[in-house]
């Protein structure tokens, strides 16, 4: 089965191999050396002042960020299920929550955030997805962060980059907390989350909030290349292998470039066969198509072509399908996906198969590759 869901994503064979060795004790010089190397790579990837790894799924890092960085009122941006989650976390911890809610295809505007911040001086943190995976959209996080810092530099900007870190270069100048999760762009099994933090965030954290998710305890330990509680050793070993693999394959810049090209080529290919891209501003992490036959297309992909793409949740259930673009994906796999969709549409009587999708994919993907003289 070809796994083409925007999380979990396929784990490369060499990474699975790296994780198949004997379990290592976490309080040993051997593991601390691995931890240190992984941390160094993470500093390059995140470009933040500090990085912290936590044994939890991505939501654990979202919760850690909210409780440690918001003391009063959180402004959460809800253009989908993950944005909604930030608000729920705030309320679960007795914090106040102000929400800006939009349809799942609509990114928040900088203006709406600026107005909300100006209207409510209790807001001390903003939580937003860079790529909101519910509908595959891209929020203008960097612009929002800049505008908010101009109003009040003390407001903490929490950016959920679970489907953005490892997908594209993120300008962290005005971002205080950047979150990543193992099972999306980082090509690992689920269970590890990572937070990149600014010096201002560390100051705000102070002695920290909570117990397991107290970031002050973790920062202190992780600066010594260890963790407050048992580290997710196997996943961290896997993470080091992922980060070294990215480097071997030409570096993170090449991965960003290939991901952008793949996203562009997939969208162009599917639009060329009459399909419609759902989000008003698509993220590079996934291609989201809204279609009356979304469910049928998805089932046919699975049953007849052995590929798993994701559907939609809540009110978008059965109305969209989402194709992953994150990680190291061979172009021939992506080409096969768009070709299979064209074949399915042919059998539904919606078009006459002509190999258009794969042609457009190839043109879009490889022409830019030749122009950029990367090969
Ligand atoms: C997957 C995802 C999460 C949640 O991560 P879990 O690992 O399921 O807890 C949060 N935000 C975004 C944007 C995601 O795609």
């Amino acid at each position: 089965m070809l796994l083409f869901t925007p999380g979990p994503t396929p784990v490369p064979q060499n990474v699975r191999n790296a994780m198949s060795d004997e379990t290592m004790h976490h309080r040993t010089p051997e593991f601390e050396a691995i931890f240190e190397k992984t941390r160094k790579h993470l500093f390059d990837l995140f470009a933040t002042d500090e990085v912290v790894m936590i044994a939890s799924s991505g939501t654990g890092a979202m919760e850690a960020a909210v409780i440690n960085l918001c003391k009063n009122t959180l402004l959460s941006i809800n253009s989908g299920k993950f944005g909604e989650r930030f608000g729920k976390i705030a309320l679960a911890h007795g914090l106040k929550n102000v929400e800006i809610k939009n349809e799942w295809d609509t990114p928040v505007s900088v203006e709406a955030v600026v107005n909300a911040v100006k209207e409510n001086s209790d807001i001390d943190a903003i939580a937003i997805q860079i790529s909101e995976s519910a509908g595959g959209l891209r929020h203008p996080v960097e612009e929002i962060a800049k505008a908010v810092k101009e109003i009040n530099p003390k407001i903490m900007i929490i950016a959920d980059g679970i489907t953005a870190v490892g997908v594209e270069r993120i300008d962290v100048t005005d971002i205080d907390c950047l979150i990543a999760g193992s099972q999306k762009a980082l090509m690992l099994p689920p269970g590890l989350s990572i937070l990149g933090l600014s010096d201002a965030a560390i100051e705000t954290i102070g002695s920290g909030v909570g117990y397991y998710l107290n970031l002050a305890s973790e920062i202190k330990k992780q600066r010594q290349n260890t963790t407050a509680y048992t580290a997710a050793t196997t996943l961290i070993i896997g993470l080091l292998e992922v980060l070294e693999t990215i480097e071997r394959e030409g570096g993170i810049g090449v991965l960003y470039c290939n991901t952008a090209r793949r996203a562009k080529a997939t969208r162009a290919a599917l639009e060329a066969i009459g399909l419609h891209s759902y989000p008003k501003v698509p993220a590079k992490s996934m291609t989201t198509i809204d279609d009356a036959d979304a469910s049928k297309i998805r089932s046919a992909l699975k049953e007849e072509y052995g590929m798993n793409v994701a559907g939609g949740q809540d009110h978008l259930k059965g109305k969209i399908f989402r194709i992953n673009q994150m990680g190291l994906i061979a172009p021939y796999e992506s080409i096969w996906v768009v070709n299979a969709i064209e074949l399915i549409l042919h059998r539904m009587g919606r078009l006459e198969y002509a190999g258009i999708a794969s042609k457009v994919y190839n043109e879009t993907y490889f022409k830019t590759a030749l122009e950029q003289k990367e090969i």
Side-chain angles (χ1 to χ4, degrees):
M1 183 71 74
L2 271 182
L3 184 61
F4 259 94
T5 55
T9 60
V11 181
Q13 181 69 56
N14 62 306
V15 177
R16 282 180 278 156
N17 291 348
M19 294 188 294
S20 68
D21 234 329
E22 287 173 346
T23 297
M24 209 180 249
H25 195 283
H26 55 293
R27 310 275 181 217
T28 55
E30 293 80 10
F31 182 69
E32 282 167 19
I34 290 169
F35 195 92
E36 185 176 7
K37 270 200 227 166
T38 312
R39 240 173 95 74
K40 278 211 182 98
H41 278 288
L42 287 177
F43 275 107
D44 291 341
L45 180 64
F46 279 71
T48 48
D49 298 318
E50 189 53 82
V51 292
V52 170
M53 290 174 254
I54 297 180
S56 78
S57 87
T59 306
M62 292 168 73
E63 183 157 358
V66 171
I67 65 173
N68 284 274
L69 294 172
C70 179
K71 317 284 173 194
N72 187 338
T73 302
L74 183 74
L75 173 62
S76 58
I77 309 304
N78 176 357
S79 290
K81 205 133 188 90
F82 297 105
E84 179 187 47
R85 187 170 300 176
F86 269 129
K88 287 182 173 174
I89 291 170
L91 295 175
H93 287 278
L95 296 162
K96 283 180 278 173
N97 181 53
V98 175
E99 186 178 78
I100 300 177
K101 195 169 176 176
N102 279 305
E103 189 40 67
W104 291 13
D105 62 349
T106 309
V108 72
S109 68
V110 179
E111 198 189 3
V113 176
V114 165
N115 290 342
V117 167
K118 284 184 177 162
E119 276 164 26
N120 190 337
S121 58
D122 284 346
I123 293 170
D124 59 340
I126 297 175
I128 182 169
Q129 275 57 42
I130 296 175
S131 149
E132 168 55 81
S133 313
L137 64 75
R138 176 70 158 87
H139 281 301
V141 175
E142 297 90 335
E143 291 91 327
I144 287 170
K146 186 165 184 282
V148 169
K149 290 288 184 187
E150 276 165 14
I151 301 167
N152 180 357
K154 287 216 157 69
I155 295 176
M156 289 286 111
I157 310 292
I158 301 167
D160 170 357
I162 294 175
T163 49
V165 176
V167 170
E168 57 174 312
R169 198 174 302 285
I170 297 150
D171 178 1
V172 292
T173 311
D174 299 301
I175 291 174
D176 294 292
C177 176
L178 178 63
I179 300 169
S182 55
Q183 81 276 24
K184 309 270 171 91
L186 297 177
M187 297 172 261
L188 288 166
L192 185 73
S193 65
I194 306 156
L195 299 103
L197 297 163
S198 69
D199 284 334
I202 294 168
E203 201 173 303
T204 304
I205 290 164
S207 57
V209 173
Y211 189 80
Y212 184 72
L213 297 177
N214 184 315
L215 291 176
S217 335
E218 285 300 342
I219 291 165
K220 187 167 163 235
K221 288 288 183 184
Q222 298 199 16
R223 282 179 174 166
Q224 299 157 36
N225 298 314
T226 187
T227 47
Y229 313 104
T230 307
T233 47
T234 307
L235 287 169
I236 292 170
I237 290 166
L239 178 58
L240 179 57
E241 183 68 23
V242 164
L243 298 170
E244 285 178 350
T245 305
I246 292 171
E247 205 168 75
R248 273 200 305 276
E249 302 267 324
I252 195 70
V254 171
L255 177 60
Y256 291 153
C257 184
N258 288 345
T259 306
R261 282 214 311 260
R262 196 159 54 232
K264 190 176 167 200
T266 302
R267 194 166 78 242
L270 296 180
E271 283 176 347
I273 54 170
L275 293 175
H276 178 253
S277 168
Y278 173 69
K280 288 178 185 155
V281 181
K284 295 187 176 84
S285 53
M286 66 194 75
T287 307
T288 306
I289 298 294
D290 58 324
D291 195 277
D293 293 320
S295 270
K296 278 193 213 154
I297 294 169
R298 213 179 133 225
S299 312
L301 280 171
K302 190 164 184 189
E303 280 149 32
E304 289 156 43
Y305 296 93
M307 333 173 160
N308 199 349
V309 303
Q313 290 170 293
D314 294 359
H315 65 292
L316 290 186
K317 199 168 194 299
K319 300 209 167 113
I320 59 165
F321 61 92
R322 295 172 297 150
I323 302 169
N324 176 50
Q325 306 297 351
M326 295 176 280
L328 294 158
I329 303 174
Y332 65 81
E333 289 189 352
S334 294
I335 295 163
W336 185 230
V337 174
V338 297
N339 184 61
I341 293 171
E342 186 174 347
L343 285 166
I344 291 164
L345 294 181
H346 170 90
R347 283 200 290 98
M348 286 175 158
R350 285 179 49 171
L351 51 71
E352 196 62 37
Y353 178 79
I356 297 291
S358 45
K359 179 174 184 283
V360 170
Y361 186 103
N362 277 316
E363 277 174 1
T364 315
Y365 188 92
F366 292 106
K367 251 192 199 161
T368 49
L370 291 171
E371 280 157 13
Q372 283 162 17
K373 293 188 175 53
E374 270 180 7
I375 41 173

